Amino acid sequence: MQEPRTAHRVVVIGSGFGGLFATRALRRTSAEVTLVAKTTHHLFQPLLYQVATGILAAGEIAPATRHILRDQRNARVLLGEVTSIDLEARTVTSVTPSGTTTTPYDSLIVAAGAAPSYFGNDRFAEHAPGMKTIDDALEMRGRIFEAFELAELEPDPTLVQRWLTFVVVGAGATGVEMAGQIAELAHRTLKGNFRNIDPSRSRIVLLDAAPSVLGSFGERLSGKATRELEDIGVEVQLGLKVVDVDATGIDVVDGAGKHQRIESVCKMWAAGVSASPLGAQLAAASGAKVDRTGRVEVNPDCTLPGHPDVFVVGDLMALDGLPGVAQVAIQSAEHAADQIARRIRGDDVGLPFRYKDKGSMATVSRFHAVASVGRLRLAGFPAWVMWLVVHLLYLVGFKNRLTTVLHWTHSFVGRGRAERVITSQQVLGRSAIEGARRLPAAPPE
Ligand SMILES: Cc1cc2nc3c(=O)[nH]c(=O)nc-3n(C[C@H](O)[C@H](O)[C@H](O)COP(=O)(O)OP(=O)(O)OC[C@H]3O[C@@H](n4cnc5c(N)ncnc54)[C@H](O)[C@@H]3O)c2cc1C
């Protein structure tokens, strides 16, 4: 008797840009797709800073993955953190608090992304969280809004200033967007909200060891972004290396070795990323190399060396020096899905991945952005409109686009922030804030 023909089993790890777009790209194939991710949502990371600063609700940028894929009959979604990949047995093992699941695959797409990197100083994380997940954004929202609340209660003016000093480390797109929005919050949104403090006297410091803001955008756009940041009240301090971070401040040294301490409770880290530990695991099992941030060096077709059935895409992939941006994740994921679809049809595989650079952009403040698209270099309002349209296009779901437009109108045309809710867990469960509350002010240097 003839064996029943089984469908080609594809396992996708991750529900970010890479994982979601790979799964969707397989919708018209006969493959059975299993997406395994450690969160139940897809996440639009470029707008995390707006959740942190009270502009958007978490659900607007993080819709449920199984809802997005509800009509894709060949896809199922499994919750679980992948702890191991067996390249010989072709299985993926994932865990949840309720147990362990082993999922077999014929083809595997690994899109597990990256996490913040503290360059070997992981102890900084407690006092200067990164911005990679919804948890991070809500934690940051708690820290920012609580800092204003505790400043209002504080009788000692030195301690008030410590609550009202916000430090963002890293002058790339995330750091610039975050610093810009904290400045707008302090100088515009919170006007009239407090009786004892004046939020507009807040100090917002954007720090970087590099010599320029948004360096990858080139000198002209970098200069324009710096001027706009300074106009909205952000203090830009460049060429400074962070040497310590604690509950009440941050220590930096300049190129000449001069030390400076900035007293601040609310600090954020946007300075670097390191790839998911699954990258090191894959490299050890296959003999592939990893780059200095832990990304896996893949073949030109995005496969793991020696394993044509395993694709590594997005932020976890090192190929031709491509940056860790959403378009690389989307296009490499679609390329991997296309290769698998060809394999199922019996066509040739192994086609190299060709990246189409669609440009990059970053917002600095409301109505002001910088954009670099092909030869076009834009700054100010036209770049902001471009940013707005592109971000709306890539947000998942009509309802989310609609409510996002309403929230943007409320925050940018008006002065409101609809999402200022912070829970008692966010406020009281944080050791950094708790610790800082009890510590005296540092004596002047
Ligand atoms: C704050 C911020 C702002 C950004 N702004 C921009 C921007 O303006 N423009 C731009 O182009 N790019 C931007 N990026 C970069 C862009 O978001 C990333 O390049 C993109 O998300 C990478 O997609 P990915 O699928 O590779 O990884 P991710 O989107 O990080 O997805 C990784 C997925 O894997 C899951 N996962 C991780 N480990 C495991 C595991 N062990 N088991 C199961 N699941 C796991 C995660 O939960 C997640 O679902 C920004 C990133 C951040 C953090």
Side-chain angles (χ1 to χ4, degrees):
M1 209 172 79
Q2 212 181 358
E3 288 277 308
R5 199 173 151 272
T6 51
H8 188 92
R9 296 160 304 177
V10 182
V11 172
V12 177
I13 302 175
S15 58
F17 283 110
L20 183 68
F21 279 76
T23 304
R24 280 170 149 185
L26 288 163
R27 67 188 174 284
R28 293 211 179 84
T29 67
S30 58
E32 260 174 22
V33 188
T34 303
L35 183 153
V36 190
K38 62 182 178 183
T39 65
T40 57
H41 53 258
H42 163 65
L43 179 59
F44 192 94
Q45 288 176 351
L47 290 176
L48 273 172
Y49 76 97
Q50 295 203 358
V51 173
T53 53
I55 298 171
L56 295 180
E60 275 157 342
I61 66 160
T65 314
R66 57 179 73 257
H67 185 71
I68 303 170
L69 296 172
R70 66 193 180 284
D71 294 329
Q72 187 172 331
R73 306 299 306 171
N74 70 341
R76 67 179 182 138
V77 177
L78 285 188
L79 177 66
E81 175 161 3
V82 173
T83 49
S84 67
I85 299 168
D86 187 332
L87 295 173
E88 300 312 319
R90 294 184 170 186
T91 57
V92 165
T93 301
S94 53
V95 294
T96 63
S98 74
T100 302
T101 308
T102 299
T103 314
Y105 67 83
D106 298 309
S107 294
L108 175 66
I109 301 178
V110 189
S117 166
Y118 290 84
F119 310 114
N121 297 299
D122 290 354
R123 67 200 158 83
F124 293 175
E126 183 188 356
H127 305 295
M131 183 69 73
K132 267 285 174 190
T133 63
I134 284 290
D135 282 326
D136 294 338
L138 293 177
E139 162 81 17
M140 209 57 226
R141 184 195 284 177
R143 288 182 186 227
I144 294 168
F145 286 100
E146 186 67 358
F148 288 105
E149 295 297 336
L150 296 181
E152 173 81 350
L153 294 171
E154 180 56 60
D156 178 342
T158 316
L159 294 181
V160 168
Q161 200 49 51
R162 189 165 79 181
W163 285 116
L164 293 183
T165 300
F166 300 85
V167 179
V168 179
V169 182
T174 303
V176 165
E177 291 174 336
M178 197 67 205
Q181 278 313 313
I182 299 175
E184 297 218 318
L185 192 63
H187 298 297
R188 243 180 116 247
T189 312
L190 296 181
K191 212 175 189 174
N193 278 211
F194 293 90
R195 299 294 169 261
N196 298 329
I197 58 160
D198 176 1
S200 71
R201 297 187 62 186
S202 301
R203 187 177 169 209
I204 298 103
V205 183
L206 178 64
L207 284 180
D208 204 305
S212 59
V213 162
L214 294 177
S216 63
F217 284 77
E219 210 173 307
R220 196 174 73 87
L221 292 187
S222 166
K224 290 199 175 219
T226 308
R227 281 191 292 283
E228 174 64 14
L229 282 166
E230 287 168 348
D231 283 353
I232 60 170
V234 175
E235 203 178 302
V236 178
Q237 295 207 28
L238 300 168
L240 294 178
K241 187 171 173 240
V242 175
V243 289
D244 203 8
V245 183
D246 58 35
T248 57
I250 188 160
D251 293 86
V252 292
V253 286
D254 66 15
K258 188 168 174 281
H259 170 262
Q260 185 196 151
R261 177 164 172 91
I262 304 171
E263 289 282 307
S264 157
V265 178
C266 190
K267 304 166 288 287
M268 196 206 119
W269 192 266
V273 291
S274 62
S276 153
L278 287 181
Q281 208 191 98
L282 282 174
S286 67
K289 289 187 187 139
V290 290
D291 71 5
R292 74 190 160 78
T293 63
R295 300 186 305 168
V296 183
E297 292 185 10
V298 294
N299 291 325
D301 62 351
C302 304
T303 56
L304 186 67
H307 295 270
D309 51 339
V310 179
F311 294 82
V312 181
V313 300
D315 280 7
L316 189 56
M317 166 189 90
L319 178 65
D320 300 338
L322 291 172
V325 295
Q327 274 301 324
V328 171
I330 292 171
Q331 293 180 34
S332 58
E334 290 179 341
H335 178 80
D338 182 58
Q339 294 299 291
I340 293 170
R342 283 167 172 271
R343 185 171 296 161
I344 294 172
R345 292 198 303 266
D347 288 354
D348 278 350
V349 289
L351 297 182
F353 169 51
R354 302 248 181 265
Y355 176 59
K356 289 184 204 71
D357 188 354
K358 297 189 176 174
S360 46
M361 45 188 76
T363 45
V364 182
S365 60
R366 70 187 184 121
F367 307 144
H368 192 110
V370 290
S372 167
V373 182
R375 288 196 193 148
L376 196 65
R377 301 283 176 273
L378 286 177
F381 188 67
W384 187 80
V385 173
M386 194 185 258
W387 169 90
L388 189 117
V389 172
V390 168
H391 281 69
L392 274 182
L393 277 180
Y394 279 96
L395 262 187
V396 175
F398 174 75
K399 183 235 143 209
N400 283 354
R401 289 188 190 132
L402 193 70
T403 55
T404 296
V405 169
L406 289 176
H407 277 143
W408 283 350
T409 311
H410 183 51
S411 299
F412 300 144
V413 182
R415 282 204 296 131
R417 300 263 163 141
E419 300 295 334
R420 280 170 59 174
V421 174
I422 50 176
T423 65
S424 59
Q425 193 193 349
Q426 284 164 359
V427 173
L428 297 175
R430 283 172 286 114
S431 56
I433 294 277
E434 281 297 283
R437 211 181 228 165
R438 293 188 296 270
L439 291 172
E445 280 192 17

